[in-house]
Amino acid sequence: MARVVRFHEHGGPEVLRIENLDIPALGQGEIQIRVKALGLNRAEALLRSGTYIQTPPLPSGLGLEAAGVVEAVGEAVHGFAPGDAVSVVPPLSMARWPAYGEIATYPAELVVKHPPSLSWEEAAAGWMQYLTAYGAMIDIAKLSRDDFVVITAASSSVGLAAIQIANIVGATAIAVTRTSAKREALLKFGAAHVVASADEDLEARLRGIASPDNIRVVFDAVGGPIFAPLTAAMARGGILIEYGGLSPEPTPFPLFAVLAKTLTLRGYLVHEITGDPVKLEAAKAFILDGLMSGSLKPAIAKTFSFEQIVEAHRFLESNEQFGKIVVTVD
């Protein structure tokens, strides 16, 4: 048996329970991992609350990221052995392949031997953020040295990952955050410019940093009213990639900016990368190279113990973090 986290009803963090369950036998092509650390993501809070894109039957497990040691390998698994240090690529369904537990089971194609220089916490904190940012900025937008890229929700784990990836390719990263409280931290982390959307005129600041002919890429997790100033500051033929919906307010369609500038507004999910073997291998190579060189280094906002999973989810919903929340598993 092993301890796992499940919820039997939708609701706040308090619905999460630590339970002892039997671990199913390994299937063909699967790897069993003794988990050392978990990375927390907003999607997990949405699944728990019943507002995610997937609604699994209850009770349900959850969790998208883990790092640990290979406990056992199933039939037809090659290249892995018990004792290997590994981390996992987020699966298509966290209800089918939940991470929150002392033991987790994954298809071998989603298991990666990460660089030994990473701590367990860093290894558990990397794949969702880097795959999400890579897929949008490199695979879709083809970000390059000549580009200015606007990154909203910049202090989130994905926002910070996007800043690092922009710096790798030589693009100019413009970090957008709600207030000025995290300005210095974002500049120190590598943003070329920081705009506080609640304290400044977003459109005017973006136009002052880069002319309307220069902002080709916007990577947005917020939606809502900022669509108007974001698109107004974009270059002709630019692309806005939307991967979230943090704003509780309606998102107006900026019709005239889209028409006048022939803009592309595109929805995006990381599953576009993780569900395509060719794209996933290219993403892994890019990310592993960055992790080994040190140009990609996960920022850890706060660490909780496994027994503090409820407190960890409360902090996840506070929007106070700078980087990834991690849970350690003894």
Side-chain angles (χ1 to χ4, degrees):
M1 300 186 77
R3 293 187 302 164
V4 301
V5 175
R6 296 199 302 174
F7 58 99
H8 293 248
E9 60 182 325
H10 296 298
E14 67 279 356
V15 302
L16 297 176
R17 301 183 190 175
I18 297 176
E19 303 174 336
N20 285 294
L21 296 179
D22 291 325
I23 302 302
L26 276 178
Q28 183 169 314
E30 294 180 344
I31 294 177
Q32 188 180 84
I33 300 165
R34 183 161 294 278
V35 176
K36 297 291 187 180
L38 303 166
L40 270 58
N41 297 275
R42 184 163 296 277
E44 292 144 28
L46 296 176
L47 185 79
R48 186 208 70 226
S49 64
T51 56
Y52 191 49
I53 55 176
Q54 177 190 14
T55 305
L58 299 178
S60 175
L62 71 170
L64 289 163
E65 291 184 285
V69 176
V70 173
E71 184 87 349
V73 297
E75 294 183 10
V77 172
H78 305 287
F80 294 94
D84 286 344
V86 296
S87 46
V88 297
V89 170
L92 181 62
S93 169
M94 69 174 112
R96 172 65 182 87
W97 308 104
Y100 286 14
E102 294 175 321
I103 298 290
T105 302
Y106 282 90
E109 60 269 21
L110 296 181
V111 180
V112 183
K113 293 180 182 178
H114 56 258
S117 58
L118 296 182
S119 67
W120 292 121
E121 291 83 0
E122 290 172 328
W127 287 106
M128 175 59 89
Q129 62 183 17
Y130 290 128
L131 284 167
T132 301
Y134 168 92
M137 296 168 57
I138 304 299
D139 185 69
I140 296 173
K142 313 297 183 191
L143 194 71
S144 69
R145 178 175 298 276
D146 297 328
D147 284 321
F148 284 77
V149 55
V150 175
I151 301 162
T152 68
S155 63
S156 68
S157 60
V158 176
L160 296 175
I163 292 171
Q164 291 182 328
I165 288 176
N167 288 337
I168 285 177
V169 301
T172 301
I174 305 172
V176 176
T177 185
R178 194 175 63 83
T179 71
S180 298
K182 298 175 182 175
R183 182 187 301 275
E184 291 305 316
L186 286 165
L187 290 170
K188 185 177 180 181
F189 197 80
H193 306 274
V194 177
V195 182
S197 59
D199 302 335
E200 304 174 78
D201 183 317
L202 180 56
E203 179 185 346
R205 279 282 283 125
L206 293 177
R207 287 175 177 270
I209 293 167
S211 77
D213 296 328
N214 287 336
I215 298 177
R216 185 179 70 84
V217 182
V218 173
F219 185 43
D220 180 50
V222 180
I226 67 169
F227 253 44
L230 287 175
T231 52
M234 290 176 68
R236 182 177 179 83
I239 180 170
L240 185 154
I241 300 172
E242 186 67 30
Y243 73 98
L246 295 178
S247 174
E249 301 178 57
T251 301
F253 183 75
L255 176 63
F256 293 108
V258 170
L259 288 174
K261 300 183 180 187
T262 61
L263 301 178
T264 297
L265 274 58
R266 189 193 191 286
Y268 162 71
L269 293 174
V270 71
H271 301 154
E272 295 182 46
I273 301 299
T274 59
D276 184 316
V278 174
K279 290 185 176 184
L280 179 57
E281 287 307 309
K284 284 180 183 178
F286 181 97
I287 294 165
L288 286 171
D289 183 68
L291 290 171
M292 287 187 285
S293 70
S295 54
L296 295 179
K297 186 172 178 61
I300 308 299
K302 193 168 183 178
T303 301
F304 293 85
S305 70
F306 190 69
E307 292 74 18
Q308 294 175 307
I309 190 65
V310 171
E311 291 85 345
H313 264 243
R314 288 195 178 114
F315 188 68
L316 177 66
E317 294 186 335
S318 71
N319 295 317
E320 296 177 359
Q321 64 267 25
F322 187 91
K324 182 65 70 81
I325 300 167
V326 173
V327 169
T328 58
V329 185
D330 293 332

